[in-house]
């Protein structure tokens, strides 16, 4: 193979490799430094997620969770408290279904807590197939270190189907 022909092949290969390295670097950098953007809603306002309006009704701190069927209460880990969030949801779209794991508790400095799985029976658990046009109440329960329990900002309602800011619901 002649030198001229070799240069014609190596230049595009080198350019492609440089672009590929840059793209890999940028994706890695963006993944490490990505922080979700939030839109804090006024107290009592609703968020629209996947064809469902969700409104935060109450946010209550508790040292134990009572069992709805009379069983023993659920205690948090030492140094932690339970935070019970009660929601109202109104489904508009019969095709879309609400994701029960789409809420996270937002605390100071961007700390996030996911809903806890617990062993006690609750009266109002989230259902993914709520009736269309009917208001349904349900609870999500979070375990939070006691030192942050008085500094909570609200509930972030994540919708991965859009690039819009994540709405943060607060109570009145």
């Amino acid at each position: 193979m002649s030198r001229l022909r070799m240069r014609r092949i190596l230049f595009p290969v080198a350019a492609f490799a440089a672009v590929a390295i840059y793209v890999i670097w940028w994706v890695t950098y963006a993944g490490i430094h990505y922080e979700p953007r939030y839109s804090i809603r006024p107290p009592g306002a609703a968020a629209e997620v996947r064809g469902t309006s969700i409104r935060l009704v109450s946010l209550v701190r508790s040292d134990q969770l009572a069992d709805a069927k009379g069983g023993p209460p659920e205690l948090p880990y030492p140094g932690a408290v339970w935070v019970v969030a009660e929601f109202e949801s109104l489904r508009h779209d019969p095709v879309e279904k609400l994701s029960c794991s789409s809420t996270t508790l937002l605390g100071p400095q961007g700390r996030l807590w996911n809903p806890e799985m617990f062993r006690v029976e609750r009266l109002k658990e989230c259902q993914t197939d709520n009736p269309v046009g009917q208001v349904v109440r349900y609870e999500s329960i979070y375990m939070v270190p006691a030192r942050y329990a008085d500094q909570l900002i609200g509930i972030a309602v994540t919708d991965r189907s859009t690039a819009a800011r994540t709405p943060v619901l607060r109570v009145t």
Side-chain angles (χ1 to χ4, degrees), residues 121-153:
E121 288 288 326
R122 301 301 295 177
L123 289 176
K124 305 174 235 176
E125 292 185 17
C126 179
Q127 303 293 323
T128 58
D129 55 353
N130 293 334
V132 176
Q134 182 179 346
V135 175
V136 177
R137 285 191 173 209
Y138 66 94
E139 295 176 341
S140 286
I141 300 172
Y142 308 88
M143 190 185 313
V144 178
R147 68 180 179 265
Y148 298 123
D150 294 329
Q151 304 172 35
L152 301 175
I153 297 169

Side-chain angles (χ1 to χ4, degrees), residues 6 21 23 51 55 57 64 68 79 85 87-88 90 93 99 110 118 120 132 139 141 144 154 159 165:
M6 182 71 92
I21 289 170
V23 168
R55 190 173 70 85
V57 177
Q64 61 182 355
F87 299 96
E88 276 184 354
L90 176 62
D93 189 350
S99 172
F118 43 88
V120 296
V132 176
E139 295 176 341
I141 300 172
V144 178
D159 185 3
R165 290 180 180 264

Side-chain angles (χ1 to χ4, degrees), residues 1-19:
M1 202 186 277
S2 70
R3 287 191 180 270
L4 185 57
R5 195 169 200 181
M6 182 71 92
R7 285 184 184 174
R8 286 184 185 165
I9 294 172
L10 285 180
F11 182 74
V13 169
F16 177 77
V19 169

Side-chain angles (χ1 to χ4, degrees), residues 18-134:
V19 169
I21 289 170
Y22 177 77
V23 168
I24 291 170
W25 172 82
W26 180 248
V27 168
T28 304
Y29 179 84
I32 291 170
H33 294 88
Y34 172 75
E35 293 196 18
R37 300 174 310 153
Y38 297 106
S39 170
I40 297 178
R41 302 289 167 92
E48 188 71 26
V49 178
R50 299 185 61 118
T52 303
S53 295
I54 300 174
R55 190 173 70 85
L56 182 61
V57 177
S58 67
L59 198 60
V60 179
R61 174 183 169 170
S62 177
D63 293 328
Q64 61 182 355
L65 287 176
D67 192 309
K69 295 187 178 176
E74 178 86 14
L75 300 174
Y77 293 133
V81 295
W82 294 114
V83 175
V84 180
E86 185 177 5
F87 299 96
E88 276 184 354
S89 69
L90 176 62
R91 186 173 171 196
H92 307 290
D93 189 350
V95 176
E96 294 285 343
K97 289 190 178 185
L98 176 67
S99 172
C100 292
S101 63
S102 66
T103 61
T104 53
L105 183 62
L106 179 62
Q109 299 161 350
R111 289 181 171 86
L112 296 171
W113 292 278
N114 292 318
E116 289 288 328
M117 302 307 288
F118 43 88
R119 296 181 291 274
V120 296
E121 288 288 326
R122 301 301 295 177
L123 289 176
K124 305 174 235 176
E125 292 185 17
C126 179
Q127 303 293 323
T128 58
D129 55 353
N130 293 334
V132 176
Q134 182 179 346

